[in-house]
Amino acid sequence: MHHSIAFLIAFMLLFSPNALTAKNKKKRNADIEGIGERDINKGSWNLYSPEREMELGERLARDVERSSRLLYDPVVTAYIRQLADRMARHSDLRMPLQVRVIDSDEINAFALPGGHFFINTGLILETQNEAELASVIAHEIAHVAARHATKQITRAQLWNWVSFPLIFVGGPVGLGLQQGLMLAVPLTFLKFSRNFEREADLLGQQYHYAAGYDPAAFLDFFERMKQKERKQHGGIAKAFSTHPMTKERIVAAEHTIEADLPPRDEYVVTTSRHDEIRAHLRDRLFLRVHRDEKSGPVLRKRGVPQTSPLPGEKRLPF
């Protein structure tokens, strides 16, 4: 009897908000003119206050910094911060945005709770224009603005509470449930539910459009990455491990462009700054490879994330 009540509560708490997300939230968030003034999180379950979420994000960001090679290049970081700030000004984000660039060839970008955004140099180089780069940043800002990470942690924690009697279930079933519950919270920081990804697509496209960029760039980039993924047989899987671009999401994004974003006479597609930054990164990559070939292997102590400065480069504090 107690198990039945627990499962009923779990269903009401965990699945009812999802049902609202698919229908009512889209209707409430459809007003593009209200961006920045509307409350996209109204009525959502979240055990984390904004202040607690920012504290959590700060701890997680430090972990990422310890395990990554941050790029200390003032030219690149200034450009990415400027672009991210532009997207944030045209969003519903109510937390300060903190941007870091990771020196990595992997095509990836992710946002942590509390407004911590990380982007790899590999992704910057892969974008063909600024509108594509802005679309990726807009999508990640949408995850932070909608507080998806802490909402998923909330649902996992609520599930832990209401399913507590299950720890007394014996055998393989009980063991599997316990292991699943223990793994639930860590996996929620980067990998979101399908509904949260759909909402981030919608919000991200709105922010991207509001900032003046060509909305088709979002689809162009992810469709090109999907084709490249198929050709390379998993060579760039990192870009889709946390945000898989399914056919359903592509169709929904196309519908958003056609039905919800009024056409404009002109859009921003790219800037000379984007081309300069990509050329700068390619030159930097060439210099680093040339330097490493001349000096031999470069060893880095475990737990010390750093990118050795190139000649004439200064490190900037974050």
Side-chain angles (χ1 to χ4, degrees):
M1 179 66 178
H2 293 296
H3 292 179
S4 299
I5 295 175
F7 276 114
L8 178 61
I9 296 173
F11 181 86
M12 292 174 63
L13 292 179
L14 303 180
F15 293 99
S16 293
N18 278 348
L20 289 173
T21 299
K23 189 174 181 179
N24 296 348
K25 272 197 171 183
K26 182 172 181 179
K27 183 178 180 181
R28 186 174 74 234
N29 296 337
D31 179 19
I32 299 177
E33 298 299 324
I35 290 176
E37 299 179 359
R38 59 191 184 179
D39 185 359
I40 63 172
N41 294 300
K42 185 178 180 180
S44 302
W45 288 88
N46 200 327
L47 297 175
Y48 284 73
S49 66
E51 293 75 21
R52 189 182 172 203
E53 180 171 330
M54 286 189 284
E55 291 175 2
L56 172 63
E58 187 66 36
R59 292 198 303 270
L60 293 171
R62 286 198 295 268
D63 290 341
V64 173
E65 290 175 352
R66 282 192 290 267
S67 60
S68 305
R69 294 199 338 170
L70 293 181
L71 181 72
Y72 295 94
D73 186 316
V75 175
V76 178
T77 52
Y79 171 69
I80 297 300
R81 285 173 178 169
Q82 182 180 21
L83 186 56
D85 286 343
R86 175 175 178 172
M87 302 311 302
R89 288 195 302 271
H90 294 87
S91 75
D92 298 292
L93 186 66
R94 297 186 177 182
M95 297 177 181
L97 188 65
Q98 301 186 53
V99 179
R100 283 92 157 174
V101 180
I102 296 177
D103 188 8
S104 171
D105 295 334
E106 291 181 336
I107 303 171
N108 198 29
F110 58 91
L112 296 175
H116 297 271
F117 171 64
F118 293 82
I119 186 168
N120 290 4
T121 53
L123 189 145
I124 300 171
L125 284 169
E126 191 63 36
T127 57
Q128 293 183 353
N129 53 60
E130 187 171 284
E132 289 186 353
L133 181 56
S135 72
V136 175
I137 295 175
H139 180 88
E140 297 303 329
I141 288 177
H143 277 304
V144 180
R147 306 183 64 195
H148 286 157
T150 49
K151 285 178 184 177
Q152 281 203 170
I153 297 170
T154 293
R155 293 178 185 181
Q157 195 160 349
L158 289 172
W159 173 257
N160 284 342
W161 290 344
V162 300
S163 61
F164 181 76
L166 293 175
I167 66 174
F168 300 106
V169 176
V173 174
L175 178 62
L177 286 169
Q178 292 176 49
Q179 291 176 339
L181 293 175
M182 287 186 290
L183 290 172
V185 172
L187 292 176
T188 58
F189 289 124
L190 298 178
K191 195 166 186 177
F192 299 110
S193 69
R194 285 181 296 176
N195 280 332
F196 283 163
E197 285 294 352
R198 283 196 293 265
E199 186 178 27
D201 287 345
L202 172 65
L203 295 173
Q205 285 181 278
Q206 290 179 349
Y207 303 159
H208 188 248
Y209 171 86
Y213 288 99
D214 181 2
F218 174 80
L219 289 172
D220 292 342
F221 179 74
F222 282 101
E223 287 183 328
R224 192 173 71 253
M225 290 303 96
K226 216 175 179 187
Q227 292 174 1
K228 192 168 184 177
E229 170 71 12
R230 285 195 292 265
K231 291 179 180 178
Q232 296 187 11
H233 304 292
I236 59 170
K238 187 81 173 188
F240 299 96
S241 62
T242 55
H243 304 287
M245 179 53 71
T246 62
K247 183 177 179 180
E248 178 190 9
R249 287 178 60 194
I250 291 175
V251 171
E254 290 173 342
H255 176 76
T256 297
I257 294 173
E258 295 174 1
D260 302 329
L261 304 179
R264 290 175 171 167
D265 293 334
E266 59 182 29
Y267 298 100
V268 175
V269 176
T270 196
T271 64
S272 59
R273 191 65 177 146
H274 177 266
D275 296 336
E276 291 168 2
I277 291 300
R278 291 177 72 235
H280 177 79
L281 280 174
R282 284 194 296 266
D283 290 343
R284 179 190 172 87
L285 180 61
F286 173 79
L287 289 172
R288 188 180 67 194
V289 171
H290 183 64
R291 179 194 61 185
D292 292 347
E293 287 176 348
K294 290 179 62 177
S295 60
V298 177
L299 302 180
R300 179 169 64 91
K301 292 183 180 180
R302 184 177 181 183
V304 183
Q306 61 181 13
T307 298
S308 299
L310 294 174
E313 177 182 317
K314 293 182 180 180
R315 294 196 169 185
L316 297 180
F318 279 83

